[in-house]
Amino acid sequence: QVLSLPIVVIVHGNQDNNAKATVLWDNAFSEIDRVPFVVAERVPWEKMCDTLNLKFMAEVQTTKGLLKEHYFFLAQKIFNDHSASPEDFQSRSVSWAQFNKEILPGRGFTFWQWFDGVLDLTKRCLKSYWSDRLIIGFISKQYVCKLLSTEPDGTFLLRFSDSEIGGVTIAHVIRGKDGSSQVENIQPFSAKDLSIRSLGDRIRDLGQLRNLYPNTPKDQAFGSHYNSEWVGAE
């Protein structure tokens, strides 16, 4: 016999996501001298935050980890609680069921399935944008509306889609003739979409986008991510 890192045997690729969740939970939260296969059913939310951050940085291969405001959004999502403060979440524990068994309200997937989709998308298509802090990413649709509602026409930011696994969307301000503002969300881009045309070039194409929140001109923020051949063709 030999001791090893956790392994999970699967019979089909559609089990891969759940297998990764099992390995991650076992690696992060089992005791060194445990009885074989015994893992905590609940873990402190702060330990979960550390684990998600390490996993994100390792998968994406970036030095820019998750921020406090990202953890707050993730806590609201996994606990389905939008009334608690960041401090309230610090004393809570999260269960395996909340992590990868219970379906998120109004969705067809678990918290981990959603988070793993974000990981895959960022790793494949958004690493440089994330590392340049051009993507807020982990932020709710409601909070985006609050942030952008008082901003000038054309102000935008990027967030990970709530409704789709592995999607990034652009929220932007449209101001009407009467001066009232409206925040619109562009249909999320998947990894397939971004492999056809990069996020930078898509942002460049969209004339209604002017300034990255709070006030950076989009060409200044994303200019280094534009396709050089396309820029030179104009």
Side-chain angles (χ1 to χ4, degrees):
Q1 65 178 16
V2 62
L3 292 175
S4 77
L5 291 172
I7 62 170
V8 176
V9 179
I10 62 175
V11 296
H12 193 280
N14 62 13
Q15 298 172 323
D16 182 60
N17 184 273
N18 289 330
K20 286 193 288 186
T22 302
V23 169
L24 179 68
W25 188 277
D26 199 292
N27 256 336
F29 306 124
S30 61
E31 299 292 335
I32 294 176
D33 298 323
R34 64 167 172 177
V35 175
F37 309 110
V38 172
V39 190
E41 185 60 33
R42 303 185 70 87
V43 297
W45 172 242
E46 284 191 318
K47 285 188 72 174
M48 175 60 75
C49 289
D50 291 340
T51 298
L52 293 176
N53 184 47
L54 290 171
K55 179 67 173 174
F56 190 93
M57 293 173 71
E59 283 286 324
V60 178
Q61 292 288 289
T62 180
T63 58
K64 301 294 170 57
L66 305 182
L67 306 174
K68 285 184 179 179
E69 51 266 37
H70 297 149
Y71 294 138
F72 183 44
F73 165 74
L74 293 172
Q76 290 177 319
K77 197 172 190 70
I78 201 168
F79 292 113
N80 188 31
D81 185 346
H82 296 273
S83 60
S85 69
E87 292 72 32
D88 293 334
F89 288 125
Q90 288 178 2
S91 60
R92 294 197 190 181
S93 292
V94 61
S95 67
W96 165 255
Q98 289 169 315
F99 180 66
N100 193 48
K101 193 172 181 182
E102 297 169 356
I103 300 299
L104 292 172
R107 306 295 179 218
F109 43 80
T110 66
F111 173 86
W112 167 253
Q113 288 170 335
W114 175 84
F115 188 83
D116 190 45
V118 167
L119 275 181
D120 185 62
L121 175 72
T122 310
K123 175 174 66 176
R124 291 167 62 185
C125 305
L126 304 175
K127 175 182 174 180
S128 58
Y129 303 92
W130 175 269
S131 296
D132 288 346
R133 290 297 191 204
L134 299 174
I135 299 175
I136 294 180
F138 299 104
I139 184 171
S140 70
K141 204 172 190 177
Q142 294 74 18
Y143 192 55
V144 166
C145 288
K146 183 179 176 181
L147 282 183
L148 295 183
S149 61
T150 57
E151 295 299 322
D153 189 26
T155 304
F156 69 98
L157 57 76
L158 291 95
R159 67 177 187 85
F160 297 123
S161 173
D162 266 329
S163 58
E164 295 185 17
I165 293 179
V168 63
T169 189
I170 303 170
H172 63 101
V173 179
I174 295 178
R175 199 166 293 279
K177 292 179 180 178
D178 61 353
S180 64
S181 66
Q182 183 178 339
V183 177
E184 291 201 351
N185 288 270
I186 294 171
Q187 179 72 21
F189 301 122
S190 65
K192 183 178 179 181
D193 296 327
L194 298 178
S195 68
I196 296 169
R197 187 157 182 75
S198 73
L199 179 64
D201 286 340
R202 288 178 184 273
I203 288 172
R204 184 174 178 275
D205 293 343
L206 295 167
Q208 69 268 40
L209 307 181
R210 297 176 188 168
N211 295 308
L212 180 66
Y213 178 84
N215 55 10
T216 306
K218 76 172 182 183
D219 289 345
Q220 181 182 326
F222 291 92
S224 62
H225 298 275
Y226 295 161
N227 184 301
S228 57
E229 291 180 14
W230 184 263
V231 172
E234 284 204 335

